């Protein structure tokens, strides 16, 4: 399979709740595509540590608005219960 085709499949897979992105957030696929080097130092952008940092950052940015809204609603409900 050509590299470009493989990368397109990686991008398509990340949009579906199936495949390698379900459990590893794309780590296995990135390793197979050689986008992450096993022996890279921590400061290299293509290291495992760099992947985990980037993945954590992306997940946090995605989840933060939902968590913030849930917190606001919970605090609003608590204040209503306490005022009754």
């Amino acid at each position: 399979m050509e590299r470009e085709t493989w990368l397109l499949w990686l991008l398509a897979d990340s949009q579906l709740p199936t495949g390698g992105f379900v459990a590893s957030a794309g780590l296995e696929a990135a390793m197979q595509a050689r986008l992450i080097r096993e022996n890279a130092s921590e400061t290299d952008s293509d290291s495992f540590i760099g992947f985990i940092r980037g993945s954590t950052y992306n997940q946090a940015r995605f989840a933060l608005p939902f968590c913030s809204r849930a917190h606001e609603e919970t605090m609003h409900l608590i204040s209503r219960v306490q005022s009754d």
Side-chain angles (χ1 to χ4, degrees), residues 32-71:
Q32 287 177 349
R34 295 191 175 120
L35 299 174
I36 297 175
R37 294 183 301 136
E38 272 188 75
N39 299 325
S41 70
E42 283 187 30
T43 57
D44 291 342
S45 62
D46 57 352
S47 70
F48 173 73
I49 299 295
F51 178 87
I52 296 300
R53 282 186 183 133
S55 182
T56 302
Y57 177 79
N58 287 335
Q59 293 295 327
R61 284 188 55 100
F62 173 76
L64 187 60
F66 298 104
C67 294
S68 178
R69 182 70 177 161
H71 180 264

